[in-house]
Amino acid sequence: MRTGLHIAGARIVDPLTGRAEIADLFAENGIIVERPSLPLSRIQRINARGLLLLPGFTDIHVHFREPGNEKAE
């Protein structure tokens, strides 16, 4: 079953392209699309007014240790 998502009114910030604007974002099956092909009744809408929408962040600072010494982290 195809799923859709509409994130409405977020401030979209993309440092790679220099984009910083308030806009809507649509996604279908986890992929960002320009225009949804699904009917609006089948798309989940999230009101993101006043929120930031950014690319995913990754924590690259990790330690591979044996369990039991959590305080060292």
Side-chain angles (χ1 to χ4, degrees):
M1 181 174 163
R2 295 172 56 194
T3 60
L5 180 65
H6 174 200
I7 302 175
R11 176 172 292 281
I12 299 174
V13 179
D14 184 1
L16 187 62
T17 63
R19 182 178 182 183
E21 63 181 332
I22 295 175
D24 292 355
L25 183 130
F26 293 96
E28 288 185 8
N29 297 322
I31 299 172
I32 297 173
V33 295
E34 186 173 344
R35 292 190 181 109
S37 62
L38 295 170
L40 292 179
S41 62
R42 290 188 45 207
I43 297 176
Q44 178 187 0
R45 184 178 188 275
I46 298 173
N47 182 4
R49 187 175 184 186
L51 301 176
L52 290 173
L53 186 61
L54 304 162
F57 292 100
T58 303
D59 181 5
I60 58 172
H61 180 91
V62 297
H63 295 274
F64 296 104
R65 298 182 179 175
E66 293 295 322
N69 193 12
E70 287 81 11
K71 290 181 182 180
E73 181 59 35

